[in-house]
Amino acid sequence: MISFSYKALPWNILFGAGSLQRLPEELNKLGFTRALVLATPEQVTQGQDLVNLLGARAAGLFDQAVMHVPAETVALAAKEVARLNADCSVSIGGGSTTGLGKALALKLDLPNIAIPTSYAGSEMTNIWGITENGRKVTGRDDRVVPTLTLYDPELTMTMPPQFAGPSGLNAMAQAAVNIASGDINPIVTVMAVEAVRALSNSLPKVISDPGNIDARTEALYGASLAGGSLGMGTTGLHHRLCHTFGGTFNTPHAETHTILLPHCVAYNAAATEEATRRLADAMGVENAAIGIFNLAKAVGAPTALRDIGVQEADLDKAAKIATETPVNSPEPVTMERVRNLLQNAYEGIEPR
Ligand code: NAD
């Protein structure tokens, strides 16, 4: 029997190579005249190019976006908003920069426009996160969904392969948990299946042929759908474990997702047999967990927690923290079984 609830998010999306050039006209349509451009120090050139493109519509550039959206950074950016009398933010970058735009939307009700350059997918969710006193607080609020998201695959061409691989697997995780999990929403699943198909088809080509705009386009398209499935869908054991490692051991975001995903899919496989088959079919493989593991290897992404700075001695603590509160999971979650999963992920063995 089919039974579900569904509430759409207020997306407004422009997708296509070269679409960045339409931003000035889109700002006009939205009635914004003083945009504060947000970027990381690493992408300051792209930020400056955007300021130049916007001309008189740009109020300024804030180039201090960093990972995990520290509250101090939000405060500094908020000061710039006030000083420059900005009427919107335009974030150009990965999930960290999008996250700063979302934080300003949350704190100041400042409309945000997202121009994603990685596969993080944050622009498609209503999830915000701000780190204060070493603790990342997250929540859901539709006010942080960008007023406009402009996807231009040409902006992803500069993403180095060693980042593009894990970033793509991070997207894959958002979709995979919305296919093979307990509380499936059929509308979200349609989106997630298409995301997995597009990502598994394109990511190996992005890595083997970085200049291939068609592959980059398909990967960004897959990532946007994957982000959408996270935005309207569910999370479970996989995201719990990633949050635990990122929050407690400061492991890199996309790589942590890449390593843990195959093991979490294997963990739930017996309890979600039909759904896990659908995930495997979307990838064109026999076994979903092993297929994801092999994809991670094919794109040169790390597959072992020990390769991203996790110590074996940390695994007990991680298993304990991750299972302290109930986890949304079709397969019952116990500390012992999670500890076993983490051992496999630590060693980087094939998921089972
Ligand atoms: P990131 O934004 O930190 O980017 C990593 C580095 O790559 C940065 O220096 C960035 O400037 C650079 N970069 C990004 N795109 C580039 C490009 N095309 N060319 C050259 N350099 C580029 O990393 P990320 O993986 O994109 O995002 C991770 C963050 O996003 C995490 O903090 C995570 O929690 C958050 N996130 C949030 C959500 C959500 O729904 N709220 C979803 C996914 C990720």
Side-chain angles (χ1 to χ4, degrees):
M1 195 203 292
I2 297 176
S3 161
F4 65 95
S5 64
Y6 171 83
K7 181 176 176 289
L9 289 175
W11 295 326
N12 178 20
I13 298 165
L14 259 178
F15 189 107
S19 58
L20 182 67
Q21 299 310 318
R22 290 173 59 182
L23 185 62
E25 140 203 358
E26 290 301 320
L27 282 189
N28 287 351
K29 275 192 219 161
L30 292 165
F32 299 136
T33 56
R34 296 191 58 77
L36 177 63
V37 175
L38 309 174
T40 61
E42 294 79 19
Q43 286 182 282
V44 65
T45 308
Q46 276 173 318
Q48 193 53 56
D49 288 348
L50 193 52
V51 168
N52 296 343
L53 174 72
L54 292 180
R57 300 171 194 85
L61 170 65
F62 180 83
D63 62 4
Q64 296 302 312
V66 285
M67 190 77 120
H68 302 312
V69 196
E72 305 80 56
T73 308
V74 180
L76 279 178
K79 258 193 193 163
E80 282 300 276
V81 170
R83 187 179 71 82
L84 297 166
N85 196 23
D87 58 5
C88 70
S89 73
V90 179
S91 54
I92 182 161
S96 299
T97 312
T98 307
L100 178 58
K102 286 168 128 180
L104 292 173
L106 184 79
K107 296 279 179 202
L108 308 177
D109 262 328
L110 185 73
N112 58 335
I113 292 169
I115 305 179
T117 63
S118 79
Y119 305 135
S122 172
E123 66 286 347
M124 292 291 278
T125 84
N126 58 358
I127 305 169
W128 57 267
I130 297 175
T131 303
E132 195 152 20
N133 303 322
R135 220 182 126 240
K136 189 165 183 175
V137 181
T138 61
R140 283 193 185 251
D141 191 318
D142 286 5
R143 284 180 301 154
V144 307
V145 177
T147 304
L148 171 69
T149 291
L150 199 151
Y151 288 105
D152 187 338
E154 283 174 6
L155 295 170
T156 66
M157 301 298 278
T158 50
M159 205 181 352
Q162 67 272 22
F163 177 48
S167 186
L169 266 296
N170 177 200
M172 179 76 100
Q174 300 165 350
V177 300
N178 278 291
I179 301 170
S181 84
D183 48 357
I184 287 308
N185 179 316
I187 299 176
V188 175
T189 301
V190 169
M191 192 181 270
V193 164
E194 173 63 354
V196 167
R197 186 208 59 73
L199 287 165
S200 40
N201 185 51
S202 58
L203 287 176
K205 295 179 208 162
V206 165
I207 303 307
S208 65
D209 182 12
N212 183 337
I213 183 73
D214 291 337
R216 297 267 187 179
T217 301
E218 189 178 26
L220 188 62
Y221 160 70
S224 74
L225 295 180
S229 61
L230 174 69
M232 291 195 302
T234 188
T235 59
L237 177 64
H238 171 75
H239 283 84
R240 173 66 64 83
L241 290 176
C242 292
H243 203 87
T244 302
F245 277 98
T248 310
F249 305 108
N250 204 23
T251 55
H253 178 83
E255 286 79 358
T256 308
H257 277 270
T258 305
I259 295 164
L260 288 168
L261 180 63
H263 301 281
C264 293
V265 169
Y267 188 96
N268 278 321
T272 58
E273 208 179 325
E274 205 186 310
T276 304
R277 160 77 18 229
R278 205 169 171 196
L279 173 58
D281 288 348
M283 297 186 73
V285 297
E286 267 304 303
N287 178 300
I290 293 175
I292 294 168
F293 184 75
N294 288 340
L295 178 63
K297 285 204 288 192
V299 300
T303 49
L305 287 175
R306 67 174 161 207
D307 292 342
I308 60 164
V310 174
Q311 306 297 315
E312 198 164 7
D314 296 336
L315 301 182
D316 283 342
K317 186 176 172 191
K320 184 167 180 298
I321 295 172
T323 55
E324 260 166 7
T325 52
V327 186
N328 169 29
S329 173
E331 185 69 32
V333 170
T334 65
M335 197 167 90
E336 292 67 31
R337 291 187 63 191
V338 167
R339 176 63 179 80
N340 187 41
L341 180 164
L342 294 183
Q343 189 67 36
N344 293 346
Y346 175 77
E347 291 172 14
I349 62 170
E350 200 173 77
R352 54 186 182 211

